Every structure is written in structure tokens, then in C-alpha cells.
């Protein structure tokens, strides 16, 4: 039987050949919201420029990636192993765009592998640029789904929490069963976070490794504990109440196993809470940690506290004071 061609057709009549998009960092889980909660952060952003040029043949090696910025040495430029490249290949294949040469230039500003949504940001910016250049008219759900293809590069599976935070900004709830859905909620204007990035060596495919640490079976009382706290977080964002949000950032399932990969985590958390942090947890899969507050002044103090604690164990770190972001945006087209 002849195999049916399921590729979608698209007619490109664009006057533009270049699109530049920026996508912000993000944090995921917020404690009990594993694979469900995402929050965009305005601390750092990846900037992706996609350039296209029509060619005369349909040879499939039409995609090239150039990486710039501080983290370029840690990012593969092979499209098959790069989050932006995987997204691009998926869109090119499904829309039969092989008669275009595509160059993706990535300015990496978000540290890769540290729990700040680095792969997600590059993937989101790429999907948005392709959608704009080729006039694909992708709705938000399709943009989210195509962007999530990029997580295969770091996690080995598609997951949507960092993707949603980077794409939409603010607080996002993700549902994947029975179908992909999302709920966007504006963040309180007084919510401030401090992200602390320990400058330690992280393994390749770190997210995939950290996902394997998650217990396969969880006692009912721990499940109830996390569900109740997750509900408090959602209610806090809905009510624009930072105290309610922070009261829910307490996780008894994921944090206990993942914190073992983060040197000094317990001491840094204890000291941060003592010094005024309203909540403290692992940012995404780590090794970054994140403190939640309602004051920039307090945030600056907690950043110094985090640095002091890491100095005690001879580890350098970087801290970022952030507010919730407004999501990814196109910077320019030409």
C-alpha cells in the first residue's frame, strides 16, 4: 500500500527573509507543580534570528545553526541535538519547507543546564520566528506544541512547563491529558524572585537524568500534601496574593530527591528563609534554586545571603533578581 503523504502544504508570500525573536528565562514546578506550573522570568533572555532564502532544489540539508554568547561552548550546533534545531526540523518536515535554506543564529544568554529554561527559550523563539516568516498562522496551542519538541534535546521527552513560561510569560498551568491545554494567569505586581545559579559542572542531558530520580510510587499522604500546596499556589496567583503563593511552595516529593544533586542546598534554603525569603525551592530540575519574596530590597539581601552560603563551601554562584516576564516577542523583521 502506498504511504499517504501527511505533510502540510504552505505557500510563502512573505516580503521578509529574516525574523528576530527574544524569549525569556523561566522556572518550572514552583515546588509541588511538577510538569504543570511554569513561570516566565525577566532576568535573562535568548535572542534567536532566523534567516531564510529560497533555493532551486529540495535537498534536505538546508538547516544551519550558529551560536553566540557566553554559553556557546555548552550548546551543540548540530540541528539534531539543539533545541532550536529540533523545532526547526519538525516544522520544515511537516510544512515541506525543504526548498528554503534556513540559518538560525542563537544568542545564548540563559545558562544551559541550570534550571532556568535555556533550551525552552531557544525553542520558543525559533518556533515564533518560523511561524512569522512562513506565515503558518499557528495558534497558541500549536506554537506551544512545536516549541516543546525542543525539550527532546535536554530532557529526552516533550514537557511544557518551561516552554509555557517562556512563550506566554507570567504564570501558566499546563494540562496534557486527555489533550494539551493551558491556563494563563497574570502574576502579582509585587512578586519578586531571586534565582541562584551555582557554577558547578552539570552533566549532559541533565534534565533527563534528574527526571529519572523521581520516585515511581508515592505515598498517598505526600500526594495529598503536594496537591493542597499546588492549589494554594494557583489560588494565590488568581487572587494576586504573594503570601498565598508562597505558602504553597512546599514540595515533599520531588525536592527531597533532587536536592541531593545540589551542594549545600539545605543550608542555603534554611539561611534564606531565616533572612526573609517567603518561600524557597529548586528552580526546575536544578541545580539553580529560587527564593520568592514581595520586595526588591529583600530580594537584594537574599541574593547576598545566597552568595555568602556558597562561598562557605568554595562554590562560585551567580544571582538574578527577577520579576515575572510578559513572554516571548518578535524584535524585528526584514
Amino acid at each position: 500500500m502506498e504511504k499517504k503523504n501527511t505533510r502540510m502544504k504552505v505557500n510563502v508570500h512573505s516580503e521578509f527573509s529574516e525574523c528576530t525573536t527574544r524569549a525569556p528565562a523561566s522556572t518550572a514546578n514552583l515546588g509541588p507543580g511538577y510538569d504543570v506550573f511554569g513561570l516566565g522570568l525577566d532576568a535573562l533572555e535568548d535572542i534567536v534570528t532566523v534567516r531564510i532564502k529560497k533555493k532551486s532544489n529540495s535537498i534536505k540539508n538546508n538547516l544551519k545553526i550558529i551560536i553566540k554568547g557566553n554559553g556557546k561552548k555548552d550548546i551543540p550546533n548540530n540541528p539534531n541535538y539543539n533545541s532550536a534545531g529540533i523545532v526547526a526540523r519538525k516544522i520544515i518536515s511537516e510544512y515541506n519547507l525543504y526548498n528554503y535554506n534556513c540559518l538560525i543564529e542563537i544568542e545564548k544568554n540563559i545558562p544551559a543546564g541550570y534550571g532556568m529554561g535555556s533550551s525552552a527559550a531557544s525553542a520558543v523563539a525559533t518556533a515564533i520566528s518560523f511561524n512569522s516568516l512562513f506565515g503558518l498562522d499557528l495558534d497558541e496551542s500549536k506554537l506551544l506544541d512545536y516549541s516543546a519538541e525542543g525539550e527532546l534535546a535536554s530532557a529526552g521527552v516533550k514537557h511544557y512547563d518551561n516552554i509555557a513560561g517562556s512563550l506566554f510569560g507570567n504564570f501558566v498551568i499546563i494540562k496534557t491529558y486527555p489533550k494539551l491545554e493551558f491556563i494563563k494567569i497574570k502574576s502579582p505586581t509585587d512578586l519578586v524572585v531571586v534565582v541562584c545559579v551555582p557554577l558547578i559542572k552539570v552533566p549532559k542531558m541533565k534534565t533527563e537524568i534528574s527526571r529519572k530520580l523521581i520516585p515511581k510510587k508515592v505515598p498517598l499522604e505526600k500526594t495529598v500534601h503536594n496537591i493542597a500546596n499546588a492549589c494554594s499556589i494557583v489560588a494565590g496567583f488568581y487572587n494576586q496574593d504573594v503570601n498565598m503563593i508562597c505558602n504553597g511552595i512546599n514540595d515533599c516529593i520531588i525536592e527531597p530527591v533532587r536536592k541531593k544533586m545540589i551542594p549545600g542546598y539545605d543550608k542555603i534554603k534554611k539561611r534564606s528563609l531565616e533572612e526573609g525569603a517567603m518561600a524557597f525551592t529548586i528552580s526546575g530540575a536544578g541545580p539553580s534554586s529560587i527564593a520568592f519574596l514581595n520586595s526588591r530590597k529583600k530580594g537584594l539581601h537574599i541574593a547576598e545571603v545566597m552568595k555568602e552560603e556558597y562561598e562557605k563551601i568554595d562554590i562560585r554562584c551567580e544571582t538574578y533578581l527577577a520579576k515575572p516576564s510578559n513572554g516571548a516577542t518578535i524584535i524585528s523583521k526584514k
Side-chain angles (χ1 to χ4, degrees):
M1 182 181 291
E2 183 179 353
K3 187 177 179 180
K4 186 177 179 181
N5 187 348
T6 58
R7 289 185 298 185
M8 292 168 273
K9 300 293 184 182
V10 58
N11 295 315
V12 182
H13 300 292
S14 176
E15 61 185 290
F16 300 101
S17 61
E18 178 181 310
C19 182
T20 300
T21 302
R22 60 185 172 203
S26 58
T27 188
N29 305 335
L30 280 70
Y34 178 74
D35 271 8
V36 176
F37 295 164
L39 181 69
L41 303 176
D42 68 359
L44 297 168
E45 62 187 13
D46 279 2
I47 299 174
V48 173
T49 299
V50 177
R51 299 182 178 92
I52 61 172
K53 184 177 181 181
K54 198 159 188 177
K55 58 180 184 172
S56 58
N57 58 59
S58 59
I59 298 174
K60 293 189 176 182
N61 59 344
N62 64 333
L63 180 61
K64 182 179 179 180
I65 295 177
I66 297 174
I67 302 168
K68 299 180 178 180
N70 294 331
K72 64 180 181 180
K73 66 180 185 301
D74 302 315
I75 310 294
N77 60 7
N78 184 328
N80 296 320
Y81 302 102
N82 180 286
S83 63
I86 292 173
V87 172
R89 285 219 185 282
K90 182 72 171 179
I91 295 174
I92 288 169
S93 172
E94 293 204 347
Y95 286 90
N96 196 24
L97 301 172
Y98 294 110
N99 59 333
Y100 286 86
N101 281 316
C102 299
L103 173 66
I104 302 174
E105 183 177 292
I106 305 170
E107 181 185 319
K108 286 301 297 183
N109 297 304
I110 305 170
Y114 286 87
M116 293 185 70
S118 175
S119 60
S122 292
V124 163
T126 300
I128 290 174
S129 288
F130 266 77
N131 181 50
S132 180
L133 282 174
F134 290 106
L136 305 181
D137 293 324
L138 300 177
D139 61 21
E140 289 183 331
S141 291
K142 289 298 291 182
L143 277 174
L144 184 67
D145 202 34
Y146 276 124
S147 298
E149 293 284 337
E151 294 292 20
L152 294 170
S154 62
V157 296
K158 289 172 67 173
H159 62 102
Y160 298 85
D161 42 15
N162 283 108
I163 293 290
S166 186
L167 177 60
F168 302 127
N170 287 290
F171 178 66
V172 189
I173 304 166
I174 291 292
K175 295 172 63 181
T176 56
Y177 184 83
K179 64 178 182 177
L180 177 62
E181 296 179 280
F182 54 90
I183 301 166
K184 298 183 286 185
I185 305 177
K186 190 76 174 175
S187 301
T189 57
D190 55 342
L191 178 62
V192 176
V193 303
V194 183
V195 184
C196 182
V197 183
L199 301 180
I200 59 176
K201 186 176 182 180
V202 294
K204 293 182 178 179
M205 299 292 287
K206 182 268 308 178
T207 302
E208 181 179 23
I209 292 170
S210 66
R211 289 176 78 86
K212 291 179 179 178
L213 298 175
I214 307 304
K216 299 294 187 293
K217 295 183 178 180
V218 179
L220 179 61
E221 60 269 22
K222 289 187 176 181
T223 303
V224 172
H225 173 94
N226 270 27
I227 290 173
N229 282 326
C231 290
S232 177
I233 292 172
V234 173
F237 275 101
Y238 182 80
N239 290 313
Q240 301 288 286
D241 187 329
V242 175
N243 281 297
M244 192 178 292
I245 292 168
C246 292
N247 285 340
I249 298 177
N250 190 311
D251 165 34
C252 65
I253 297 173
I254 310 300
E255 184 184 67
V257 294
R258 282 186 168 172
K259 72 180 183 180
K260 298 173 184 177
M261 298 177 64
I262 307 173
Y265 179 82
D266 282 333
K267 289 184 178 180
I268 294 165
K269 177 176 181 176
K270 182 175 182 293
R271 175 90 190 281
S272 295
L273 292 172
E274 289 173 348
E275 294 286 341
M278 298 170 67
F280 191 101
T281 191
I282 299 169
S283 182
S288 296
S289 52
I290 184 167
F292 295 78
L293 308 102
N294 60 0
S295 160
R296 176 178 173 83
K297 183 178 179 179
K298 291 180 183 177
L300 291 170
H301 174 63
I302 295 301
E304 291 303 314
V305 167
M306 291 171 162
K307 290 177 182 177
E308 288 175 11
E309 288 301 312
Y310 269 118
E311 283 176 2
K312 292 178 183 178
I313 54 175
D314 295 321
I315 292 176
R316 291 175 53 243
C317 70
E318 293 179 351
T319 57
Y320 301 95
L321 194 66
K323 299 277 289 180
S325 76
N326 291 319
T329 56
I330 292 174
I331 300 173
S332 66
K333 287 176 68 175
K334 56 184 179 181

